[in-house]
Amino acid sequence: MTYNLHNYCNHFISGGITGVYDVEDLVDVLNKQRAVDLCVISIPPEHRYVDFIVIVTGKSYKHMLSLATFVRRVFKKKYDPERGDKPPRIEGEESDDWIALDLGNIALHIFSSRARAKYDLESLWCLGRELDARSNEEDDLISVLRSHSFSLDDLKAMDEPDTDIPDDKK
């Protein structure tokens, strides 16, 4: 059973302690809306642009958009403009695979199951780039860039003689 906005907001009408949503409130909203494979990652203070990243999978594009829209509607009922809160934009609304909302203290990522497996944000944020196997794989674009790249060390200053040019062409 999904909750309608009016009933839900009557239950959690006030804002959270560190933002409009406390992470527990957001988890409750997402669970009640039947989000799949919910993951909450606490962000260490040295990387603090948000307190938490919340990652969920939607069952379909319609479900993903419904999750994002409902989270935004509850946010709009709870927020306090005098505190400087602003309703979040739904990023990636046109994407079939990934929708994101910046809730101030929480970054919410709503994925399709295919995109969630591909991007694997859990490994990236929990293991770090050095240990995340997918971050260290060389894809086709990187290999093309490497094959066409050069080092600035190979360049010579204009006032240095170029020994590769024959004397009759200088």
Side-chain angles (χ1 to χ4, degrees):
M1 173 180 107
T2 57
Y3 281 46
N4 71 36
L5 182 63
H6 179 72
N7 290 341
Y8 190 81
C9 287
N10 284 339
H11 182 66
F12 283 113
I13 198 67
S14 63
I17 296 169
T18 62
V20 173
Y21 278 106
D22 283 331
V23 74
E24 297 83 4
D25 292 342
L26 181 59
V27 166
D28 190 37
V29 168
L30 293 167
N31 279 330
K32 284 185 174 37
Q33 295 301 307
R34 297 193 175 148
V36 179
D37 296 330
L38 196 134
C39 174
V40 176
I41 301 169
S42 178
I43 303 302
E46 63 270 13
H47 298 296
R48 215 29 85 120
Y49 73 98
V50 291
D51 298 328
F52 297 95
I53 293 176
V54 175
I55 304 167
V56 298
T57 302
K59 298 173 189 171
S60 65
Y61 169 74
K62 186 176 178 180
H63 184 231
M64 291 167 55
L65 192 54
S66 171
L67 288 169
T69 302
F70 194 79
V71 166
R72 187 173 191 274
R73 282 185 176 161
V74 172
F75 186 104
K76 288 170 86 173
K77 294 286 186 184
K78 293 169 56 105
Y79 87 109
D80 180 3
E82 292 181 17
R83 190 169 68 175
D85 300 329
K86 294 179 183 166
R89 290 184 19 197
I90 298 174
E91 302 291 339
E93 217 171 339
E94 303 300 318
S95 170
D96 293 341
D97 290 322
W98 190 351
I99 297 175
L101 285 90
D102 179 353
L103 302 172
N105 59 328
I106 302 168
L108 172 61
H109 297 273
I110 305 167
F111 283 103
S112 67
S113 56
R114 181 184 66 224
R116 183 153 178 191
K118 177 180 178 180
Y119 293 106
D120 193 17
L121 290 185
E122 293 94 330
S123 292
L124 182 62
W125 278 99
C126 294
L127 298 175
R129 187 169 181 84
E130 301 78 30
L131 299 176
D132 178 18
R134 294 215 168 149
S135 293
N136 292 311
E137 287 178 358
E138 188 170 291
D139 63 13
D140 293 336
L141 176 61
I142 291 175
S143 70
V144 168
L145 290 174
R146 285 197 179 138
S147 68
H148 293 291
S149 68
F150 62 91
S151 169
L152 293 177
D153 296 334
D154 297 337
L155 299 177
K156 296 179 181 158
M158 298 243 347
D159 58 349
E160 288 183 25
D162 195 340
T163 56
D164 295 338
I165 301 174
D167 287 333
D168 63 331
K169 300 285 184 185
K170 288 184 184 178

